[in-house]
Amino acid sequence: MKIIEPSLEFVFQANLDVAEIMRFGSAGFNNRGFANIVGGTVEGPRLNGRAIPNTGGDYPYFRNDDVIEFEAMYMLETDDGTPILIKNRGYRHGRPEVLQAFREKREVDPSDYYMRLSPVFEVAPGPHDWLTRHVIIGTGQRHEKQTVFRYYIVN
């Protein structure tokens, strides 16, 4: 029996401009937040466009074990005008001193923390519906006012 080992193909990077995180509690969650997506760009070999401002954002859950669970939903628009809904889930965690640097809004080297994503896309049939037929994973980097995601197809 032949086993196929997966490989990754880089497809695009999203540079998202993010508003300040609001912290609040809701329905059993004491550490919920919201960060509005206020703009950004999408660039890569298979997808180019922009993040449509104010169409959604991330609702991170700040767990007691210092893991942040991401649960985001917002709209992208390709250069040809195609709207794409992205639902993005993932995790970020790191050593205590790295997390403290985040809280103090200091820049942190992305190799010092774990930030991985598993997006799902909704898009009409056409040139970008490949997004709905592949497993795609992502990596992330958090900066003070921008988050950078790199997305890969699992082949």
Side-chain angles (χ1 to χ4, degrees):
M1 174 172 43
K2 183 176 180 179
I3 305 276
I4 298 173
E5 295 294 327
S7 62
L8 300 178
E9 173 192 347
F10 172 67
V11 288
F12 72 94
Q13 177 171 306
N15 303 298
L16 301 177
D17 302 324
V18 182
E20 185 73 25
I21 294 175
M22 298 184 316
R23 298 285 291 262
F24 64 94
S26 65
F29 294 101
N30 294 322
N31 297 313
R32 183 64 75 179
F34 174 71
N36 186 28
I37 304 298
V38 295
T41 60
V42 174
E43 302 167 335
R46 301 222 16 211
L47 195 68
N48 288 282
R50 69 184 184 112
I52 302 173
N54 305 311
T55 58
D58 185 26
Y59 289 86
Y61 175 50
F62 299 88
R63 294 180 358 190
N64 291 334
D65 63 355
D66 286 331
V67 173
I68 298 175
E69 290 183 31
F70 300 106
E71 189 170 1
M73 187 164 46
Y74 49 91
M75 297 290 300
L76 305 176
E77 181 182 57
T78 64
D79 283 349
D80 66 10
T82 303
I84 299 171
L85 177 66
I86 179 172
K87 299 174 188 175
N88 217 2
R89 298 188 66 129
Y91 300 96
R92 187 181 81 200
H93 55 80
R95 297 182 318 276
E97 61 272 17
V98 171
L99 301 177
Q100 184 61 35
F102 274 120
R103 285 189 284 274
E104 294 171 359
K105 299 185 188 302
R106 289 187 279 133
E107 197 66 26
V108 176
D109 185 320
S111 65
D112 286 342
Y113 58 94
Y114 179 93
M115 189 171 179
R116 303 294 184 267
L117 314 151
S118 57
V120 175
F121 300 88
E122 293 182 20
V123 61
H128 308 293
D129 62 5
W130 57 270
L131 289 162
T132 67
R133 293 191 307 271
H134 291 86
V135 172
I136 298 176
I137 61 168
T139 62
Q141 299 177 20
R142 181 70 174 107
H143 305 283
E144 184 176 352
K145 295 187 184 221
Q146 189 175 69
T147 301
V148 177
F149 297 128
R150 290 181 61 84
Y151 293 103
Y152 304 82
I153 286 178
V154 180
N155 288 314

